Amino acid sequence: MKWFALAALLTTACGDNLALPTVALDELDASATRAACARHVRCGLFDDDATCEVFFRPPWRGTRLAAIAAGQVRYDGVAAARCHAALAQVGCDATAQDARTLPAACARVFAGTVPTGGRCTLDEACVSGACDAPACAPSTCCEGVCEERVTALPLGAACDATHLCEDDATCGEAGRCLPRVLAGEPCRAEAACAFGLACIGATELQAGTCRPLPVTGEACPYQRCAEVGATCAGGACTPLGLIGAPCASSAACSPFLSCDRAASACTDLPGLGASCAGPGRCAGEAWCDGTTCQAPLERGAPCAADNECATEDECAEGPVFDACVARAVCP
């Protein structure tokens, strides 16, 4: 190949890379929400994207951002774009493989630089993706050690929380990678069943059975449906109600709505200052004190749960009472 042809090829390749879709770090959470909402709307959990995208409370990312600034974590915006594109296309069948396994690109969004044996405060800082950190007070940093993580182990291999089986296998009770359980065979957990199946009837005392779940319009003898946007009602899988749909209880509505029993219709969750005695939940950052939706508490105020505090705070145990305190930033 002539040198100028090679140069042209390399220039084109570099241009293509620069043109790849990417997600800026400060847009990561908004992009992830859009991806989740694309699926939620398609699967019948929200009426539209706009309503969905303002529903969720922004997560706290202080430690992750500090780790990126310190060079412990590298962020890949192209992988994030591919990850979110894949998540937006996940099907509505909760038992299917795409709903039960993370897209490959999502594992490449963050890459740790701390080797095995190095000190860490979060999984993403480790090259292995596994930080063995002890539990500690919420407002302090729990420093641990990066541990080895092995993935895609074959059938028969020893497995545990850091030695993971290949997608077609599951880690059995004896700590060995076993084939996923087929329809009609016993199971102890959903993850043990083959893709497309659910573990029905399992309890602490007895095993259940892997079975396919019905879809909308089909009979639901096990009181479960395959689709995230469906519920078993009247003996058949029925779409969950959106705003205005008739209901007798919130179980008939999308999990992001509630049932207004006076109107017998699905409605938005109550907002700041509204009564929450019925659903026991509130929309946005508001929280339910049992009767009314309240604004996040100020730092230092007594609390009973993290959701009562602002996003950058958490409810921590104190000498006299639990109180909202600043979350620890632990790079």
PDB file of all heavy atoms in Angstrom, residues 71-92:
ATOM      1  N   GLY A  71      -7.256   9.976  39.616  1.00  0.00           N
ATOM      2  CA  GLY A  71      -6.625   9.045  38.692  1.00  0.00           C
ATOM      3  C   GLY A  71      -6.806   7.593  39.063  1.00  0.00           C
ATOM      4  O   GLY A  71      -6.223   6.694  38.439  1.00  0.00           O
ATOM      5  N   GLN A  72      -7.639   7.300  40.062  1.00  0.00           N
ATOM      6  CA  GLN A  72      -7.887   5.908  40.441  1.00  0.00           C
ATOM      7  C   GLN A  72      -8.883   5.228  39.501  1.00  0.00           C
ATOM      8  O   GLN A  72      -8.892   4.002  39.400  1.00  0.00           O
ATOM      9  CB  GLN A  72      -8.423   5.845  41.875  1.00  0.00           C
ATOM     10  CG  GLN A  72      -7.437   6.285  42.935  1.00  0.00           C
ATOM     11  CD  GLN A  72      -8.025   6.181  44.325  1.00  0.00           C
ATOM     12  OE1 GLN A  72      -9.201   5.876  44.504  1.00  0.00           O
ATOM     13  NE2 GLN A  72      -7.201   6.431  45.328  1.00  0.00           N
ATOM     14  N   VAL A  73      -9.709   6.028  38.843  1.00  0.00           N
ATOM     15  CA  VAL A  73     -10.724   5.509  37.926  1.00  0.00           C
ATOM     16  C   VAL A  73     -10.648   6.277  36.618  1.00  0.00           C
ATOM     17  O   VAL A  73     -10.532   7.507  36.613  1.00  0.00           O
ATOM     18  CB  VAL A  73     -12.145   5.655  38.531  1.00  0.00           C
ATOM     19  CG1 VAL A  73     -13.205   5.167  37.541  1.00  0.00           C
ATOM     20  CG2 VAL A  73     -12.260   4.889  39.840  1.00  0.00           C
ATOM     21  N   ARG A  74     -10.688   5.553  35.510  1.00  0.00           N
ATOM     22  CA  ARG A  74     -10.754   6.173  34.191  1.00  0.00           C
ATOM     23  C   ARG A  74     -12.169   6.012  33.642  1.00  0.00           C
ATOM     24  O   ARG A  74     -12.757   4.942  33.742  1.00  0.00           O
ATOM     25  CB  ARG A  74      -9.748   5.529  33.228  1.00  0.00           C
ATOM     26  CG  ARG A  74      -8.288   5.712  33.636  1.00  0.00           C
ATOM     27  CD  ARG A  74      -7.356   5.319  32.498  1.00  0.00           C
ATOM     28  NE  ARG A  74      -5.942   5.408  32.882  1.00  0.00           N
ATOM     29  CZ  ARG A  74      -5.206   4.380  33.251  1.00  0.00           C
ATOM     30  NH1 ARG A  74      -5.736   3.160  33.262  1.00  0.00           N
ATOM     31  NH2 ARG A  74      -3.947   4.535  33.591  1.00  0.00           N
ATOM     32  N   TYR A  75     -12.677   7.082  33.045  1.00  0.00           N
ATOM     33  CA  TYR A  75     -14.036   7.084  32.500  1.00  0.00           C
ATOM     34  C   TYR A  75     -13.996   7.033  30.979  1.00  0.00           C
ATOM     35  O   TYR A  75     -13.226   7.756  30.349  1.00  0.00           O
ATOM     36  CB  TYR A  75     -14.786   8.335  32.971  1.00  0.00           C
ATOM     37  CG  TYR A  75     -16.103   8.542  32.271  1.00  0.00           C
ATOM     38  CD1 TYR A  75     -17.164   7.661  32.468  1.00  0.00           C
ATOM     39  CD2 TYR A  75     -16.289   9.622  31.394  1.00  0.00           C
ATOM     40  CE1 TYR A  75     -18.373   7.848  31.813  1.00  0.00           C
ATOM     41  CE2 TYR A  75     -17.496   9.819  30.746  1.00  0.00           C
ATOM     42  CZ  TYR A  75     -18.532   8.931  30.951  1.00  0.00           C
ATOM     43  OH  TYR A  75     -19.726   9.114  30.303  1.00  0.00           O
ATOM     44  N   ASP A  76     -14.840   6.175  30.386  1.00  0.00           N
ATOM     45  CA  ASP A  76     -14.906   5.999  28.933  1.00  0.00           C
ATOM     46  C   ASP A  76     -16.293   6.427  28.447  1.00  0.00           C
ATOM     47  O   ASP A  76     -17.270   5.693  28.600  1.00  0.00           O
ATOM     48  CB  ASP A  76     -14.639   4.528  28.584  1.00  0.00           C
ATOM     49  CG  ASP A  76     -14.546   4.285  27.079  1.00  0.00           C
ATOM     50  OD1 ASP A  76     -15.102   5.085  26.308  1.00  0.00           O
ATOM     51  OD2 ASP A  76     -13.935   3.274  26.684  1.00  0.00           O
ATOM     52  N   GLY A  77     -16.379   7.618  27.879  1.00  0.00           N
ATOM     53  CA  GLY A  77     -17.660   8.147  27.431  1.00  0.00           C
ATOM     54  C   GLY A  77     -18.242   7.396  26.246  1.00  0.00           C
ATOM     55  O   GLY A  77     -19.476   7.320  26.097  1.00  0.00           O
ATOM     56  N   VAL A  78     -17.392   6.821  25.382  1.00  0.00           N
ATOM     57  CA  VAL A  78     -17.893   6.033  24.245  1.00  0.00           C
ATOM     58  C   VAL A  78     -18.554   4.749  24.751  1.00  0.00           C
ATOM     59  O   VAL A  78     -19.629   4.359  24.297  1.00  0.00           O
ATOM     60  CB  VAL A  78     -16.750   5.715  23.261  1.00  0.00           C
ATOM     61  CG1 VAL A  78     -17.220   4.744  22.188  1.00  0.00           C
ATOM     62  CG2 VAL A  78     -16.235   6.999  22.623  1.00  0.00           C
ATOM     63  N   ALA A  79     -17.903   4.090  25.733  1.00  0.00           N
ATOM     64  CA  ALA A  79     -18.503   2.889  26.324  1.00  0.00           C
ATOM     65  C   ALA A  79     -19.822   3.226  27.005  1.00  0.00           C
ATOM     66  O   ALA A  79     -20.788   2.454  26.943  1.00  0.00           O
ATOM     67  CB  ALA A  79     -17.539   2.248  27.316  1.00  0.00           C
ATOM     68  N   ALA A  80     -19.897   4.400  27.637  1.00  0.00           N
ATOM     69  CA  ALA A  80     -21.136   4.816  28.290  1.00  0.00           C
ATOM     70  C   ALA A  80     -22.253   4.981  27.268  1.00  0.00           C
ATOM     71  O   ALA A  80     -23.393   4.557  27.500  1.00  0.00           O
ATOM     72  CB  ALA A  80     -20.910   6.124  29.055  1.00  0.00           C
ATOM     73  N   ALA A  81     -21.938   5.590  26.120  1.00  0.00           N
ATOM     74  CA  ALA A  81     -22.945   5.766  25.073  1.00  0.00           C
ATOM     75  C   ALA A  81     -23.443   4.414  24.566  1.00  0.00           C
ATOM     76  O   ALA A  81     -24.649   4.207  24.365  1.00  0.00           O
ATOM     77  CB  ALA A  81     -22.370   6.592  23.925  1.00  0.00           C
ATOM     78  N   ARG A  82     -22.509   3.476  24.365  1.00  0.00           N
ATOM     79  CA  ARG A  82     -22.912   2.144  23.900  1.00  0.00           C
ATOM     80  C   ARG A  82     -23.702   1.393  24.965  1.00  0.00           C
ATOM     81  O   ARG A  82     -24.672   0.685  24.667  1.00  0.00           O
ATOM     82  CB  ARG A  82     -21.661   1.356  23.499  1.00  0.00           C
ATOM     83  CG  ARG A  82     -21.008   1.894  22.229  1.00  0.00           C
ATOM     84  CD  ARG A  82     -19.665   1.238  21.955  1.00  0.00           C
ATOM     85  NE  ARG A  82     -19.135   1.649  20.656  1.00  0.00           N
ATOM     86  CZ  ARG A  82     -17.883   1.433  20.267  1.00  0.00           C
ATOM     87  NH1 ARG A  82     -17.035   0.809  21.073  1.00  0.00           N
ATOM     88  NH2 ARG A  82     -17.482   1.839  19.069  1.00  0.00           N
ATOM     89  N   CYS A  83     -23.279   1.534  26.217  1.00  0.00           N
ATOM     90  CA  CYS A  83     -23.983   0.901  27.324  1.00  0.00           C
ATOM     91  C   CYS A  83     -25.421   1.399  27.393  1.00  0.00           C
ATOM     92  O   CYS A  83     -26.374   0.605  27.472  1.00  0.00           O
ATOM     93  CB  CYS A  83     -23.253   1.196  28.637  1.00  0.00           C
ATOM     94  SG  CYS A  83     -24.166   0.789  30.148  1.00  0.00           S
ATOM     95  N   HIS A  84     -25.609   2.699  27.350  1.00  0.00           N
ATOM     96  CA  HIS A  84     -26.948   3.271  27.479  1.00  0.00           C
ATOM     97  C   HIS A  84     -27.815   2.944  26.267  1.00  0.00           C
ATOM     98  O   HIS A  84     -29.024   2.724  26.406  1.00  0.00           O
ATOM     99  CB  HIS A  84     -26.849   4.781  27.685  1.00  0.00           C
ATOM    100  CG  HIS A  84     -26.173   5.143  28.970  1.00  0.00           C
ATOM    101  ND1 HIS A  84     -25.752   6.423  29.265  1.00  0.00           N
ATOM    102  CD2 HIS A  84     -25.834   4.380  30.056  1.00  0.00           C
ATOM    103  CE1 HIS A  84     -25.196   6.436  30.460  1.00  0.00           C
ATOM    104  NE2 HIS A  84     -25.216   5.212  30.951  1.00  0.00           N
ATOM    105  N   ALA A  85     -27.196   2.886  25.082  1.00  0.00           N
ATOM    106  CA  ALA A  85     -27.955   2.494  23.891  1.00  0.00           C
ATOM    107  C   ALA A  85     -28.476   1.070  24.041  1.00  0.00           C
ATOM    108  O   ALA A  85     -29.618   0.760  23.679  1.00  0.00           O
ATOM    109  CB  ALA A  85     -27.081   2.619  22.649  1.00  0.00           C
ATOM    110  N   ALA A  86     -27.643   0.183  24.607  1.00  0.00           N
ATOM    111  CA  ALA A  86     -28.060  -1.204  24.818  1.00  0.00           C
ATOM    112  C   ALA A  86     -29.136  -1.302  25.897  1.00  0.00           C
ATOM    113  O   ALA A  86     -30.117  -2.039  25.752  1.00  0.00           O
ATOM    114  CB  ALA A  86     -26.851  -2.062  25.200  1.00  0.00           C
ATOM    115  N   LEU A  87     -28.980  -0.545  26.982  1.00  0.00           N
ATOM    116  CA  LEU A  87     -29.961  -0.581  28.066  1.00  0.00           C
ATOM    117  C   LEU A  87     -31.323  -0.066  27.601  1.00  0.00           C
ATOM    118  O   LEU A  87     -32.364  -0.561  28.043  1.00  0.00           O
ATOM    119  CB  LEU A  87     -29.473   0.254  29.249  1.00  0.00           C
ATOM    120  CG  LEU A  87     -28.268  -0.302  30.019  1.00  0.00           C
ATOM    121  CD1 LEU A  87     -27.814   0.688  31.085  1.00  0.00           C
ATOM    122  CD2 LEU A  87     -28.598  -1.646  30.650  1.00  0.00           C
ATOM    123  N   ALA A  88     -31.317   0.915  26.712  1.00  0.00           N
ATOM    124  CA  ALA A  88     -32.571   1.468  26.212  1.00  0.00           C
ATOM    125  C   ALA A  88     -33.350   0.442  25.391  1.00  0.00           C
ATOM    126  O   ALA A  88     -34.575   0.544  25.257  1.00  0.00           O
ATOM    127  CB  ALA A  88     -32.296   2.706  25.367  1.00  0.00           C
ATOM    128  N   GLN A  89     -32.640  -0.561  24.845  1.00  0.00           N
ATOM    129  CA  GLN A  89     -33.276  -1.566  23.994  1.00  0.00           C
ATOM    130  C   GLN A  89     -33.602  -2.865  24.729  1.00  0.00           C
ATOM    131  O   GLN A  89     -34.098  -3.810  24.113  1.00  0.00           O
ATOM    132  CB  GLN A  89     -32.362  -1.876  22.803  1.00  0.00           C
ATOM    133  CG  GLN A  89     -32.154  -0.691  21.875  1.00  0.00           C
ATOM    134  CD  GLN A  89     -33.458  -0.173  21.297  1.00  0.00           C
ATOM    135  OE1 GLN A  89     -34.315  -0.960  20.873  1.00  0.00           O
ATOM    136  NE2 GLN A  89     -33.639   1.136  21.296  1.00  0.00           N
ATOM    137  N   VAL A  90     -33.340  -2.922  26.029  1.00  0.00           N
ATOM    138  CA  VAL A  90     -33.639  -4.140  26.786  1.00  0.00           C
ATOM    139  C   VAL A  90     -35.134  -4.435  26.705  1.00  0.00           C
ATOM    140  O   VAL A  90     -35.972  -3.532  26.830  1.00  0.00           O
ATOM    141  CB  VAL A  90     -33.195  -3.991  28.256  1.00  0.00           C
ATOM    142  CG1 VAL A  90     -33.694  -5.164  29.100  1.00  0.00           C
ATOM    143  CG2 VAL A  90     -31.679  -3.905  28.345  1.00  0.00           C
ATOM    144  N   GLY A  91     -35.487  -5.692  26.498  1.00  0.00           N
ATOM    145  CA  GLY A  91     -36.878  -6.077  26.354  1.00  0.00           C
ATOM    146  C   GLY A  91     -37.666  -5.978  27.650  1.00  0.00           C
ATOM    147  O   GLY A  91     -37.125  -5.753  28.733  1.00  0.00           O
ATOM    148  N   CYS A  92     -38.963  -6.182  27.537  1.00  0.00           N
ATOM    149  CA  CYS A  92     -39.857  -6.051  28.692  1.00  0.00           C
ATOM    150  C   CYS A  92     -40.013  -7.357  29.460  1.00  0.00           C
ATOM    151  O   CYS A  92     -40.587  -7.359  30.558  1.00  0.00           O
ATOM    152  CB  CYS A  92     -41.228  -5.568  28.222  1.00  0.00           C
ATOM    153  SG  CYS A  92     -41.173  -3.981  27.339  1.00  0.00           S
TER     154      CYS A  92
END
